Amino acid sequence: MRTNLHHPFLPTVSFFCASLVLPASAAVVDDPDLYSVFDPSGGRSITNTASGATSASTLEALGDFGIIYEYGSFNQGTNIIAFSDETRSDLQISFSGAVSTSSSGAGASLSNNSYSTSPTSAIRFADNAETAAHILSTTLDLGSWDGSTFDGSVGGTSAFGFTLSAPDGAFSRLNSITVQFLDASSQTLSTQTISGVNSGSVGFYFGYQSNAADISSVTVDVSINEGSGSFLMGMDDIGFSSIPETSTYSLITGALGIGLVLFIRRRS
């Protein structure tokens, strides 16, 4: 398990994300394998990129960017992905709104490749079969898991991306998907949307790269139109970059300081 991750260059607000005790039914996945490519062969293809998104190829080119393909141990509700690597934040994934709370509901593993962009599994993003228009929501918080509680007031990343997918025609009731990348003060860094009926679409990609390691959480709101039947899609290929260690920050700031001194001397 990771210990608390904190760097002086990361903005932290202690009241924004209090330490949360994980529900007993949820799962903790330690040190999952990390990959470097979104949408590998074997799963659904990415057919739509959200407006305003940083391209998948840009995130894939980052040397410290890691993508998770496997969610087979996930249970319904809130789940944790924890890393022993001190430079990589832990991740808490929770759901709210009109989501299914059955044992195979929102948050549970989804092994059907029709709902994943990787060849293994995805996270089930399911509603409660409500016929009226409704909203499904999930929040992905970066922070630190100490074995019993999740602290969302520390940690962060400079780049984050993921996919949402389903079989052909499954998005016929979809009104819109709105994704917000937030800093530790809950200020919006980027808003990305996909809207309109996408009855033929099978895979959506969202991603954002910031100039600093200030992405603290990501919210996903899925608006579903009125209609019959349940709505189901898979969340997959969740990826984010690591955080340079304090010593790395010191080297960077030291180099910038030396450069500034030399610049001033040349101007004088």
Side-chain angles (χ1 to χ4, degrees):
M1 299 292 181
R2 294 177 66 257
T3 55
N4 281 350
L5 175 64
H6 176 72
H7 291 286
F9 287 83
L10 290 177
T12 60
V13 180
S14 59
F15 58 81
F16 174 60
C17 286
S19 296
L20 300 175
V21 177
L22 192 66
S25 61
V28 177
V29 178
D30 291 311
D31 292 321
D33 291 334
L34 298 177
Y35 300 87
S36 59
V37 179
F38 288 100
D39 188 17
S41 60
R44 284 282 169 178
S45 297
I46 294 174
T47 56
N48 296 67
T49 295
S51 60
T54 302
S55 69
S57 60
T58 297
L59 299 190
E60 291 168 347
L62 300 174
D64 61 346
F65 197 82
I67 302 170
I68 303 164
Y69 290 170
E70 176 58 52
Y71 307 91
S73 301
F74 272 38
N75 296 327
Q76 184 276 325
T78 300
N79 292 279
I80 297 285
I81 298 174
F83 294 93
S84 56
D85 180 356
E86 289 294 317
T87 67
R88 192 172 293 278
S89 293
D90 300 330
L91 182 67
Q92 176 180 261
I93 305 169
S94 56
F95 293 84
S96 60
V99 295
S100 170
T101 57
S102 68
S103 60
S104 59
S109 176
L110 182 56
S111 58
N112 187 334
N113 280 353
S114 295
Y115 294 88
S116 62
T117 48
S118 63
T120 51
S121 60
I123 302 171
R124 186 179 292 268
F125 205 153
D127 72 358
N128 56 9
E130 187 170 330
T131 57
H134 55 282
I135 301 289
L136 311 178
S137 299
T138 185
T139 301
L140 301 98
D141 289 308
L142 292 154
S144 179
W145 169 251
D146 67 2
S148 61
T149 58
F150 184 86
D151 185 358
S153 67
V154 296
T157 185
S158 60
F160 196 103
F162 64 94
T163 63
L164 297 171
S165 59
D168 295 341
F171 289 121
S172 59
R173 288 183 62 193
L174 177 67
N175 178 41
S176 64
I177 302 174
T178 302
V179 174
Q180 290 189 305
F181 297 81
L182 308 173
D183 67 12
S185 299
S186 199
Q187 297 299 307
T188 301
L189 301 171
S190 174
T191 299
Q192 301 174 13
T193 59
I194 287 178
S195 59
V197 176
N198 293 275
S199 58
S201 298
V202 295
F204 299 138
Y205 162 79
F206 301 83
Y208 175 65
Q209 182 181 16
S210 178
N211 293 324
D214 55 356
I215 304 172
S216 181
S217 63
V218 180
T219 62
V220 182
D221 294 313
V222 181
S223 174
I224 308 300
N225 291 320
E226 180 181 0
S228 60
S230 59
F231 179 85
L232 173 64
M233 63 182 176
M235 174 176 282
D236 197 11
D237 287 8
I238 298 173
F240 53 96
S241 59
S242 60
I243 305 170
E245 296 184 80
T246 305
S247 58
T248 304
Y249 278 119
S250 299
L251 289 173
I252 294 172
T253 54
L256 290 174
I258 293 172
L260 179 60
V261 170
L262 292 175
F263 175 77
I264 293 174
R265 286 181 176 177
R266 288 180 179 179
R267 292 291 299 270
S268 60

